[in-house]
Amino acid sequence: MGSNNVNLPPGFRFYPTDEELLVHFLHRKATLLPCHPDVIPDLDLYPYDPWELEGKALGEGNQWYYYSRRSLNRITGNGYWEQIGSNESVLTSAGKKVGNKKYLVFYAGEAPSGIKTNWIMEEYCLSDRGSSSRSSSRRESSKKDWVICRVSEQNEGGDNDSGELSCLDEIFLSLDDMDEISLPN
């Protein structure tokens, strides 16, 4: 599971559902309740490119998880995240809405002319629920500040367990070939 230093039992696998991410992890984080095991780190996402998450975020297979503060700045050192589609409601098994999920794709280069990559982020936020008491209004405000993210690299078929080169890998490999090209003066 990545290179995180967490004390988990042998054989532990982290494959939470959308509902579990919101109810058992993000809700507890946002309302300042303890979460056991506390395995998901806080990470300011946007200084990092997605391939730099190894060792910084909780990694399981080809997916990385972390908490982040909500931000409109989605620019990294080598690209930017752009939302695709509309927000999707996340419901409990009882049909109660607990939050929203949005999908973002990573583009290498400067906006708006970047090159689309295979890196996908699912960003989860809690439902906005009004509060009448002052003590809970601070917790409600904190809920709006936090998101939990799941980042993965997808292959062309949509799954993420491929040994094929990603679009981003192909870009970097093609840049290496530029040294061999002679350009006129």
Side-chain angles (χ1 to χ4, degrees), residues 26-174:
L26 186 56
H27 174 75
R28 296 186 71 77
K29 171 78 171 173
T31 55
L32 309 175
L33 296 171
C35 186
H36 300 290
D38 187 13
V39 294
I40 302 174
D42 295 352
L43 183 66
D44 183 13
L45 166 69
Y46 300 109
Y48 301 105
D49 294 313
W51 53 90
E52 296 176 319
L53 292 175
E54 183 70 36
K56 295 175 180 66
L58 171 65
E60 181 64 51
N62 195 26
Q63 297 183 348
W64 290 269
Y65 298 84
Y66 55 88
Y67 297 112
S68 186
R69 294 287 185 168
R70 189 180 295 204
S71 173
L72 296 177
N73 176 17
R74 296 188 173 128
I75 299 170
T76 70
N78 291 302
Y80 59 98
W81 291 97
E82 186 172 292
Q83 183 172 346
I84 53 175
S86 57
N87 290 353
E88 184 178 299
S89 294
V90 177
L91 306 174
T92 65
S93 52
K96 179 182 174 190
K97 181 178 176 182
V98 289
N100 292 305
K101 173 171 66 169
K102 69 174 71 171
Y103 292 93
L104 299 104
V105 67
F106 187 76
Y107 286 81
E110 292 188 27
S113 60
I115 299 169
K116 184 177 178 180
T117 70
N118 293 336
W119 288 96
I120 303 292
M121 179 194 317
E122 297 169 51
E123 184 182 271
Y124 298 85
C125 64
L126 295 168
S127 292
D128 295 330
R129 286 180 283 192
S131 172
S132 58
S133 72
R134 255 197 262 161
S135 62
S136 62
S137 66
R138 194 169 112 194
R139 283 188 177 182
E140 290 296 321
S141 174
S142 175
K143 282 184 183 183
K144 294 175 186 172
D145 292 342
W146 286 103
V147 295
I148 193 167
C149 301
R150 175 191 293 152
V151 175
S152 61
E153 187 176 21
Q154 306 290 312
N155 68 17
E156 298 302 319
D159 58 358
N160 56 13
D161 289 329
S162 168
E164 297 177 23
L165 291 177
S166 71
C167 174
L168 196 56
D169 289 338
E170 291 176 14
I171 292 169
F172 285 129
L173 289 174
S174 70

